[in-house]
Amino acid sequence: RRWQGRLAEMLSDFRELAGVQGIDFGYSLVRYQYDAGEREQALAHYHAVMLRQPLPPRRDLLGGATLCNLAYLAARGGDSTHAPQLYDALKPLAGSFANTTVAKPVGEHFLGVLATVLDEPAVADAHFAAAVVAHEKADAPLLVAETRVEWARLLCGTGDTDRARELLAEVDDTATTHS
């Protein structure tokens, strides 16, 4: 439902678990809470998590997913304080897909959003380009589109609106093809 913009339909089912310590999928739920429109609450959960979450996180199947979700929230909240730590922790996973039950973009994607927060547009641009290549190689058009949206966000911030429009037109084509 995330890609359909329908997460709000499920908020009542997971709101209480968002960011709860000890629940493996709690950080994913914070991201979904943000995407469902409860942005202030989600960012409050994110900041509470960052006070207790060691970086890098524990080394298990959820370590990469944890970093990806926290990177996403750092970007949405403009958290330049924790972004460098998240970037360093996520960098070894640049070419990895940190999937659990829900597909997530490759690590390069999340490094790109963190580089955007850190005002490193050339670095972010390179990460987004690498993410698109990885997603295309994996035959994952919706992940390609998700990266192009983030890339366009970066380009709008740097004033390259023509290139941003091109990327968003490609996203629109993907949405039309896969709807």
Side-chain angles (χ1 to χ4, degrees), residues 64-148:
T66 294
L67 289 170
C68 292
N69 287 314
L70 294 176
Y72 177 85
L73 291 160
R76 291 299 171 266
D79 183 6
S80 59
T81 300
H82 293 106
Q85 298 165 306
L86 289 165
Y87 185 94
D88 290 344
L90 187 57
K91 193 156 180 147
L93 303 175
S96 299
F97 286 87
N99 295 331
T100 51
T101 55
V102 177
K104 290 177 183 49
V106 71
E108 293 280 6
H109 169 98
F110 295 101
L111 289 167
V113 298
L114 290 169
T116 300
V117 170
L118 296 171
D119 197 27
E120 297 282 350
V123 173
D125 193 77
H127 284 303
F128 289 136
V132 166
V133 169
H135 295 148
E136 287 174 340
K137 186 175 179 181
D139 196 22
L142 298 179
L143 297 179
V144 171
E146 193 168 343
T147 295
R148 285 181 174 149

Side-chain angles (χ1 to χ4, degrees), residues 30 33-34 37-47:
V30 176
Q33 183 180 31
Y34 183 92
E38 293 187 355
R39 294 181 173 165
E40 287 182 31
Q41 300 93 322
L43 291 176
H45 286 304
Y46 161 76
H47 288 293

Side-chain angles (χ1 to χ4, degrees), residues 17-20 23-31 49:
L17 300 174
V20 173
I23 296 177
D24 287 340
F25 52 86
Y27 301 159
S28 296
L29 297 179
V30 176
R31 176 187 175 161
V49 166

Side-chain angles (χ1 to χ4, degrees), residues 147-165:
T147 295
R148 285 181 174 149
V149 168
E150 293 295 341
W151 202 351
R153 186 187 312 266
L154 164 73
L155 295 171
C156 285
T158 63
D160 193 349
T161 55
D162 290 339
R163 191 162 161 223
R165 278 191 202 97

